[in-house]
Amino acid sequence: MQLPFALDLSGKTAVVTGGAGVLCSTFAEALAEAGAKVAILDINLEGSEKVAAKIASAGGTALALKTDILERDSLEKAREEIKQKLGTCDILINGAGGNHPSGTTTKDYLELEDIKSKQDDLTTFFDLDPAGIKFVFNLNFLGALLTSQVFAADMAEKDDSTIINISSMNAFTPLTRIPAYSGAKAAVSNFTKWLAVHLSKVNIRVNALAPGFFETEQNEALLHNDDGSYSERAKKILSQTPMERFGDPEELLGTLFWLISPQAASFVNGTVIPIDGGFSAYSGV
Ligand code: NAD
């Protein structure tokens, strides 16, 4: 992996939730390459173990732990094991997150005929399932809050510790169809600022990345037709992205490293940084 710039994280312990996923596995590998000992926390143990094995084969130190960020006991258990095997956390990446189909409408706009026709294959605003909406809010917002509660107490005793949350474009302006995910990521951005203020006297900086559009498993169905070609939605995203392409997960690393670095970002606190090829800057005209 080509690191964006040299950052010496030797002696540091990084905890990455969602570390088996597309974006956060890239983060975990990059942090290990910069010298950090990395704990990969994910409900997908097999995926976490694969990432840990890749890190180990490249000469790094990694620990894969099956952890549910919505269960405090599971997080506490992970914290103890990390403490014993890697030392207490210096860098926390709250990466686990995502959307759920039951919090998603089928169409961008509601039309009168949709209400009247009551088609089974159409999820309108009125059909959105509260359980699905809760799931998405919990996973993205409550998960980041609980994980921060569990790890920040150890971090407060250390120098240069930092928390990075993962927000989204949806937090600035909601995308059509995904009200739960948009609201949940707006909550993540808001919480990033709240936590940065709250923890400022105990020396933990808190910031967030707001990635634009990356082709991952999570959005596979939204971005591709069955034959693999770009969906209308993918084409629309590209037309609203001045750089006219999707991002590569490694393009998030420069901002991640900058925000983590106590030298480069010592006075950067409570920010949400878009990495989006210009999407959030473009009005469409
Ligand atoms: P991903 O689905 O590949 O990874 C998410 C990981 O979280 C998975 O490995 C999953 O097993 C794990 N996870 C889910 N529920 C969990 C739980 N309860 N406890 C622990 N782990 C759990 O997704 P990704 O695209 O790599 O996204 C990573 C983060 O970036 C998410 O917060 C996502 O919302 C955000 N994001 C992604 C994009 C994008 O374009 N991919 C854009 C903006 C923001």
Side-chain angles (χ1 to χ4, degrees):
M1 179 182 289
Q2 179 79 35
L3 296 183
F5 52 84
L7 180 65
D8 182 9
L9 297 178
S10 47
K12 301 280 183 194
T13 298
V15 174
V16 183
T17 73
V22 182
L23 301 187
C24 293
S25 61
T26 307
F27 298 169
E29 286 168 37
L31 293 168
E33 208 162 316
K37 293 167 277 179
V38 183
I40 300 154
L41 275 51
D42 204 294
I43 40 167
N44 174 2
L45 181 62
E46 206 187 325
S48 304
E49 283 174 341
K50 274 190 193 149
V51 179
K54 201 171 167 197
I55 290 173
S57 70
T61 305
L63 176 66
L65 294 173
K66 185 175 171 71
T67 311
D68 184 346
I69 58 158
L70 296 175
E71 297 293 337
R72 201 169 165 125
D73 285 354
S74 176
L75 285 164
E76 297 279 9
K77 209 170 139 235
R79 171 178 167 247
E80 279 315 304
E81 201 167 335
I82 295 164
K83 207 169 172 177
Q84 282 167 22
K85 295 186 176 158
L86 305 181
T88 53
C89 177
D90 299 279
I91 300 159
L92 171 63
I93 316 268
N94 280 318
N99 193 20
H100 194 273
S102 58
T104 303
T105 62
T106 313
K107 292 167 66 176
D108 293 358
Y109 304 101
L110 180 74
E111 288 168 274
L112 264 185
E113 68 206 43
D114 301 333
I115 305 174
K116 289 179 188 155
S117 68
K118 292 198 164 74
Q119 288 173 44
D120 284 348
D121 59 349
L122 197 68
T123 305
T124 71
F125 169 63
F126 305 106
D127 305 316
L128 289 174
D129 177 6
I133 292 165
K134 268 189 209 161
F135 173 89
V136 176
F137 265 84
N138 286 349
L139 176 58
N140 291 279
F141 171 61
L142 188 62
L145 188 147
L146 286 177
T147 311
S148 303
Q149 279 183 322
V150 168
F151 287 96
D154 292 333
M155 296 169 75
E157 293 172 10
K158 308 180 103 178
D159 290 332
D160 303 329
S161 50
T162 189
I163 297 175
I164 308 287
N165 294 327
I166 315 296
S167 186
S168 161
M169 287 301 101
N170 293 281
F172 302 108
T173 308
L175 262 64
T176 55
R177 302 190 205 178
I178 48 177
Y181 185 65
S182 299
K185 287 300 190 187
V188 169
S189 288
N190 190 281
F191 174 60
T192 300
K193 295 178 186 183
W194 184 87
L195 197 63
V197 172
H198 194 64
L199 299 181
S200 56
K201 305 288 190 276
V202 294
N203 256 340
I204 305 175
R205 290 182 304 108
V206 186
N207 292 286
L209 307 182
F213 297 89
F214 298 77
E215 290 182 79
T216 64
E217 267 173 47
Q218 183 193 325
N219 55 27
E220 162 78 30
L222 279 174
L223 299 185
H224 294 100
N225 298 318
D226 292 343
D227 64 4
S229 60
Y230 279 138
S231 64
E232 283 310 307
R233 193 170 175 86
K235 289 181 194 159
K236 210 166 171 183
I237 291 167
L238 292 173
S239 75
Q240 300 294 307
T241 304
M243 291 178 77
E244 261 189 286
R245 64 173 175 86
F246 290 102
D248 183 302
E250 290 191 20
E251 292 180 282
L252 296 168
L253 295 176
T255 309
L256 178 73
F257 273 29
W258 163 56
L259 290 174
I260 285 173
S261 165
Q263 288 79 32
S266 53
F267 205 47
V268 182
N269 202 12
T271 65
V272 180
I273 310 289
I275 307 112
D276 65 349
F279 180 90
S280 61
Y282 184 47
S283 71
V285 179

